[in-house]
Amino acid sequence: MGLRTFIFLWVLVVSTGAQAFDLEFVSASPAIYAQPHDLVLSPDRRHLYVADNNNDRIAVLDPNTLELLGTFGEGQVGAPHDVVFDAEGRLLVADTDNSRIAIYAVTGQSGTLVGELRGKIRRPEGVAVHPNGRVYATGASSGNIEVFENGESVADADGFSSPHDVAVASDGTVWIADANNDRLVQMSAALKTLRTIGGASYAFSGPRYLDFDAQGRLYVADKYTHRIKVLAPDGTLVLMIGDRSGKGPGKFDRPEGVAIEGKDVWFSDTYNDRIVRYRIVE
């Protein structure tokens, strides 16, 4: 299934004050998706759920072999961008064309639509669940982030330009990929801006989706540089992989999705219409 060659691929950008590590290519799926966006591993680690954007569905993969096991959401979601599980094991989907967060009860390869969240967000492209139980969602067209509690909107903040992913760090802070401003924004759970990360030293160009590994490093799918960029907890850029020249190991065409569990890392190689798997080596 796909490419099986194991190859070390890494470019260490800054090593001072940060532990060096590698990302090792493991495998790639066939190019059977239509611009897949963000993805998430199920709580039982048995299934990988992918927002299969241009197919208007959620694809369910075996996380080890990357085999397509099933799909759901056809006729219910439009251009889904993001997927995340809540504490109850429900799958929340940024249902972009329908300007809502769709909520699914999932069992393996199937999902049943059981609810939705609607508010000020327009064309949401990111969704995250905070340990406090609140749901955070970004509106790409409305330029805001909105917070929901018990199904109701309780807070929001604007000032973004086409914000995409929202992710929660282990310290409870909220990170937003402010895509059209080519930066990341760190906020408190109460939506107070703590810092922004961008500029020439990062050279972000349309950052999309984010995830953290067990060491607290932040992985950024930087769409228009065709790279994955990894930041240490202090914000230092420590690793970059990727370029656009083909579909081999270490090659991406406008990647968007990131999911991490333990030493395993999955990326959506979006415009190559495939999912790729890497492993962290330290």
Side-chain angles (χ1 to χ4, degrees):
M1 178 67 68
L3 299 171
R4 293 287 184 180
T5 307
F6 287 74
I7 297 175
F8 282 124
L9 290 160
W10 63 287
V11 177
L12 186 61
V13 180
V14 178
S15 60
T16 303
Q19 181 182 2
F21 73 106
D22 304 338
L23 283 175
E24 180 185 71
F25 175 81
V26 178
S27 60
S29 77
I32 59 174
Y33 304 99
Q35 295 182 19
H37 279 60
D38 212 10
L39 60 174
V40 66
L41 192 67
S42 61
D44 64 8
R45 305 185 181 184
R46 296 178 61 186
H47 298 92
L48 187 67
Y49 293 82
V50 180
D52 194 8
N53 181 274
N54 277 8
N55 280 326
D56 298 322
R57 67 182 186 180
I58 306 303
V60 187
L61 283 65
D62 181 310
N64 298 308
T65 66
L66 302 183
E67 176 187 1
L68 178 63
L69 302 176
T71 65
F72 63 85
E74 292 92 341
Q76 296 174 332
V77 298
H81 276 71
D82 199 5
V83 283
V84 67
F85 280 94
D86 68 10
E88 298 176 35
R90 302 178 302 179
L91 187 70
L92 277 58
V93 179
D95 184 8
T96 306
D97 279 355
N98 293 311
S99 287
R100 67 175 182 173
I101 304 302
I103 304 172
Y104 280 87
V106 295
T107 304
Q109 303 164 32
S110 63
T112 301
L113 184 63
V114 295
E116 64 177 30
L117 300 174
R118 290 186 183 270
K120 298 178 181 179
I121 48 172
R122 295 293 176 266
R123 297 190 61 79
E125 298 202 8
V127 59
V129 179
H130 198 279
N132 64 20
R134 291 183 168 186
V135 175
Y136 292 70
T138 58
S141 291
S142 46
N144 66 333
I145 180 170
E146 188 165 10
V147 184
F148 298 87
E149 185 173 18
N150 298 321
E152 301 295 329
S153 177
V154 295
D156 73 285
D158 56 18
F160 304 97
S161 182
S162 190
H164 276 62
D165 203 14
V166 52
V168 181
S170 60
D171 62 2
T173 59
V174 177
W175 289 76
I176 298 166
D178 192 9
N180 282 3
N181 283 323
D182 296 325
R183 65 178 186 170
L184 308 180
V185 179
Q186 183 187 27
M187 308 185 82
S188 70
L191 301 185
K192 177 183 178 181
T193 298
L194 303 176
R195 64 171 166 168
T196 61
I197 292 179
S201 60
Y202 297 93
F204 289 129
S205 183
R208 270 8 190 211
Y209 293 87
L210 318 169
D211 203 359
F212 295 89
D213 67 15
Q215 303 300 320
R217 293 177 295 235
L218 177 60
Y219 293 59
V220 183
D222 196 30
K223 182 174 182 177
Y224 296 114
T225 64
H226 313 287
R227 288 174 170 169
I228 305 299
K229 298 180 178 178
V230 185
L231 281 59
D234 65 0
T236 302
L237 181 63
V238 293
L239 189 77
M240 293 193 298
I241 62 170
D243 64 47
R244 195 181 178 182
S245 56
K247 295 184 179 181
K251 311 296 183 182
F252 300 102
D253 187 353
R254 290 161 284 179
E256 299 219 16
V258 184
I260 305 171
E261 179 63 36
K263 298 294 185 181
D264 291 312
V265 185
W266 297 268
F267 300 120
S268 288
D269 186 8
T270 301
Y271 284 78
N272 278 327
D273 296 324
R274 65 178 187 165
I275 307 301
V276 294
R277 182 184 174 198
Y278 282 73
R279 182 171 293 119
I280 299 169
V281 180
E282 299 185 89

